[in-house]
Short mmCIF file of all heavy atoms in Angstrom, two decimals:
data_model
loop_
_atom_site.label_atom_id
_atom_site.label_comp_id
_atom_site.label_asym_id
_atom_site.label_seq_id
_atom_site.Cartn_x
_atom_site.Cartn_y
_atom_site.Cartn_z
N VAL A 122 -16.31 -12.58 -10.86
CA VAL A 122 -16.50 -11.13 -10.72
C VAL A 122 -17.66 -10.66 -11.57
O VAL A 122 -18.51 -9.88 -11.12
CB VAL A 122 -15.21 -10.38 -11.10
CG1 VAL A 122 -15.48 -8.87 -11.21
CG2 VAL A 122 -14.11 -10.63 -10.09
N VAL A 123 -17.73 -11.12 -12.81
CA VAL A 123 -18.82 -10.72 -13.70
C VAL A 123 -20.17 -11.15 -13.12
O VAL A 123 -21.13 -10.37 -13.11
CB VAL A 123 -18.63 -11.32 -15.11
CG1 VAL A 123 -19.89 -11.13 -15.96
CG2 VAL A 123 -17.44 -10.65 -15.80
N ALA A 124 -20.24 -12.37 -12.61
CA ALA A 124 -21.50 -12.84 -12.00
C ALA A 124 -21.88 -11.97 -10.80
O ALA A 124 -23.06 -11.63 -10.62
CB ALA A 124 -21.34 -14.30 -11.57
N GLU A 125 -20.90 -11.58 -10.01
CA GLU A 125 -21.16 -10.77 -8.82
C GLU A 125 -21.69 -9.39 -9.17
O GLU A 125 -22.68 -8.92 -8.60
CB GLU A 125 -19.88 -10.64 -7.99
CG GLU A 125 -20.06 -9.79 -6.74
CD GLU A 125 -18.76 -9.58 -6.00
OE1 GLU A 125 -17.86 -10.43 -6.10
OE2 GLU A 125 -18.64 -8.55 -5.32
N VAL A 126 -21.07 -8.73 -10.15
CA VAL A 126 -21.49 -7.37 -10.48
C VAL A 126 -22.81 -7.36 -11.25
O VAL A 126 -23.59 -6.40 -11.14
CB VAL A 126 -20.39 -6.61 -11.24
CG1 VAL A 126 -19.13 -6.49 -10.40
CG2 VAL A 126 -20.07 -7.25 -12.58
N LEU A 127 -23.07 -8.40 -12.02
CA LEU A 127 -24.38 -8.50 -12.67
C LEU A 127 -25.48 -8.60 -11.62
O LEU A 127 -26.54 -7.97 -11.74
CB LEU A 127 -24.42 -9.70 -13.61
CG LEU A 127 -23.62 -9.60 -14.92
CD1 LEU A 127 -23.66 -10.93 -15.67
CD2 LEU A 127 -24.16 -8.48 -15.80
N SER A 128 -25.22 -9.39 -10.60
CA SER A 128 -26.20 -9.53 -9.52
C SER A 128 -26.37 -8.21 -8.76
O SER A 128 -27.49 -7.78 -8.46
CB SER A 128 -25.75 -10.63 -8.55
OG SER A 128 -26.61 -10.72 -7.44
N ALA A 129 -25.25 -7.53 -8.47
CA ALA A 129 -25.30 -6.29 -7.69
C ALA A 129 -26.04 -5.18 -8.41
O ALA A 129 -26.66 -4.31 -7.77
CB ALA A 129 -23.87 -5.84 -7.37
N THR A 130 -26.01 -5.19 -9.72
CA THR A 130 -26.66 -4.14 -10.50
C THR A 130 -28.02 -4.56 -11.05
O THR A 130 -28.66 -3.82 -11.81
CB THR A 130 -25.77 -3.71 -11.69
OG1 THR A 130 -25.42 -4.86 -12.47
CG2 THR A 130 -24.50 -3.04 -11.18
N GLY A 131 -28.48 -5.75 -10.66
CA GLY A 131 -29.79 -6.21 -11.10
C GLY A 131 -29.86 -6.50 -12.58
O GLY A 131 -30.92 -6.36 -13.21
N THR A 132 -28.76 -6.95 -13.16
CA THR A 132 -28.73 -7.22 -14.60
C THR A 132 -28.42 -8.68 -14.92
O THR A 132 -28.21 -9.02 -16.09
CB THR A 132 -27.68 -6.33 -15.30
OG1 THR A 132 -26.41 -6.47 -14.64
CG2 THR A 132 -28.09 -4.86 -15.25
N ALA A 133 -28.40 -9.54 -13.91
CA ALA A 133 -28.06 -10.95 -14.14
C ALA A 133 -29.03 -11.60 -15.12
O ALA A 133 -28.63 -12.42 -15.96
CB ALA A 133 -28.06 -11.71 -12.81
N ARG A 150 -27.29 0.50 -16.27
CA ARG A 150 -26.87 -0.45 -15.23
C ARG A 150 -25.79 -1.40 -15.74
O ARG A 150 -24.90 -1.79 -14.98
CB ARG A 150 -28.08 -1.24 -14.73
CG ARG A 150 -28.95 -0.45 -13.75
CD ARG A 150 -30.06 -1.29 -13.19
NE ARG A 150 -31.10 -1.54 -14.18
CZ ARG A 150 -31.95 -2.54 -14.15
NH1 ARG A 150 -31.86 -3.44 -13.18
NH2 ARG A 150 -32.88 -2.68 -15.07
N LEU A 153 -22.58 0.44 -15.53
CA LEU A 153 -22.12 0.44 -14.15
C LEU A 153 -21.50 -0.91 -13.79
O LEU A 153 -20.45 -0.97 -13.13
CB LEU A 153 -23.27 0.76 -13.20
CG LEU A 153 -22.93 0.67 -11.71
CD1 LEU A 153 -21.87 1.69 -11.32
CD2 LEU A 153 -24.19 0.84 -10.85
N ALA A 154 -22.13 -2.00 -14.23
CA ALA A 154 -21.59 -3.33 -13.95
C ALA A 154 -20.21 -3.48 -14.55
O ALA A 154 -19.29 -4.05 -13.94
CB ALA A 154 -22.54 -4.40 -14.50
N LEU A 157 -17.80 -1.69 -12.32
CA LEU A 157 -17.53 -2.44 -11.10
C LEU A 157 -16.64 -3.65 -11.36
O LEU A 157 -15.82 -4.03 -10.51
CB LEU A 157 -18.84 -2.87 -10.45
CG LEU A 157 -19.78 -1.76 -9.99
CD1 LEU A 157 -21.08 -2.34 -9.43
CD2 LEU A 157 -19.11 -0.89 -8.93
N ALA A 179 -31.88 3.82 -6.64
CA ALA A 179 -31.59 3.24 -5.33
C ALA A 179 -30.72 1.99 -5.46
O ALA A 179 -29.81 1.77 -4.66
CB ALA A 179 -32.89 2.90 -4.60
N GLN A 180 -30.98 1.19 -6.47
CA GLN A 180 -30.19 -0.02 -6.69
C GLN A 180 -28.74 0.32 -7.05
O GLN A 180 -27.80 -0.30 -6.53
CB GLN A 180 -30.81 -0.85 -7.81
CG GLN A 180 -30.17 -2.21 -8.02
CD GLN A 180 -30.96 -3.08 -8.98
OE1 GLN A 180 -31.50 -2.57 -9.96
NE2 GLN A 180 -31.05 -4.36 -8.71
N VAL A 181 -28.55 1.32 -7.89
CA VAL A 181 -27.21 1.75 -8.27
C VAL A 181 -26.45 2.27 -7.05
O VAL A 181 -25.29 1.93 -6.83
CB VAL A 181 -27.29 2.83 -9.36
CG1 VAL A 181 -25.94 3.53 -9.54
CG2 VAL A 181 -27.75 2.23 -10.68
N LEU A 182 -27.10 3.08 -6.25
CA LEU A 182 -26.45 3.65 -5.07
C LEU A 182 -26.11 2.57 -4.04
O LEU A 182 -25.09 2.67 -3.37
CB LEU A 182 -27.33 4.73 -4.46
CG LEU A 182 -27.53 5.98 -5.33
CD1 LEU A 182 -28.51 6.93 -4.68
CD2 LEU A 182 -26.19 6.66 -5.60
N ARG A 183 -26.95 1.54 -3.93
CA ARG A 183 -26.63 0.44 -3.03
C ARG A 183 -25.36 -0.28 -3.49
O ARG A 183 -24.52 -0.65 -2.68
CB ARG A 183 -27.80 -0.55 -2.96
CG ARG A 183 -28.94 -0.11 -2.05
CD ARG A 183 -29.87 -1.28 -1.72
NE ARG A 183 -30.46 -1.88 -2.91
CZ ARG A 183 -31.61 -1.48 -3.45
NH1 ARG A 183 -32.27 -0.47 -2.91
NH2 ARG A 183 -32.10 -2.09 -4.52
N ALA A 184 -25.25 -0.48 -4.80
CA ALA A 184 -24.07 -1.15 -5.34
C ALA A 184 -22.81 -0.33 -5.06
O ALA A 184 -21.76 -0.89 -4.74
CB ALA A 184 -24.24 -1.38 -6.84
N LEU A 185 -22.91 0.99 -5.18
CA LEU A 185 -21.76 1.85 -4.92
C LEU A 185 -21.42 1.88 -3.44
O LEU A 185 -20.25 1.87 -3.04
CB LEU A 185 -22.03 3.25 -5.44
CG LEU A 185 -22.18 3.37 -6.96
CD1 LEU A 185 -22.58 4.79 -7.35
CD2 LEU A 185 -20.91 2.96 -7.67
N ASP A 187 -21.92 -0.48 -1.36
CA ASP A 187 -21.28 -1.76 -1.05
C ASP A 187 -19.78 -1.69 -1.30
O ASP A 187 -18.99 -2.27 -0.56
CB ASP A 187 -21.91 -2.87 -1.90
CG ASP A 187 -21.26 -4.22 -1.66
OD1 ASP A 187 -21.37 -4.74 -0.54
OD2 ASP A 187 -20.64 -4.77 -2.59
N ARG A 188 -19.39 -0.98 -2.35
CA ARG A 188 -17.96 -0.85 -2.64
C ARG A 188 -17.23 -0.04 -1.56
O ARG A 188 -16.11 -0.37 -1.18
CB ARG A 188 -17.76 -0.21 -4.02
CG ARG A 188 -18.21 -1.10 -5.16
CD ARG A 188 -17.43 -2.42 -5.21
NE ARG A 188 -16.03 -2.20 -5.50
CZ ARG A 188 -15.51 -2.18 -6.72
NH1 ARG A 188 -16.30 -2.37 -7.77
NH2 ARG A 188 -14.23 -1.99 -6.90
N ARG A 191 -16.47 -1.99 1.43
CA ARG A 191 -15.34 -2.90 1.25
C ARG A 191 -14.00 -2.16 1.26
O ARG A 191 -12.95 -2.77 1.07
CB ARG A 191 -15.47 -3.65 -0.08
CG ARG A 191 -16.73 -4.50 -0.19
CD ARG A 191 -16.69 -5.28 -1.49
NE ARG A 191 -17.96 -5.98 -1.74
CZ ARG A 191 -18.10 -6.96 -2.61
NH1 ARG A 191 -17.06 -7.37 -3.32
NH2 ARG A 191 -19.28 -7.53 -2.79
#
Side-chain angles (χ1 to χ4, degrees):
V122 169
V123 169
E125 179 184 333
V126 299
L127 287 174
S128 176
T130 55
T132 53
R150 282 185 287 157
L153 175 63
L157 297 177
Q180 186 171 38
V181 166
L182 294 175
R183 281 196 301 271
L185 295 175
D187 178 66
R188 292 299 295 269
R191 299 185 188 197

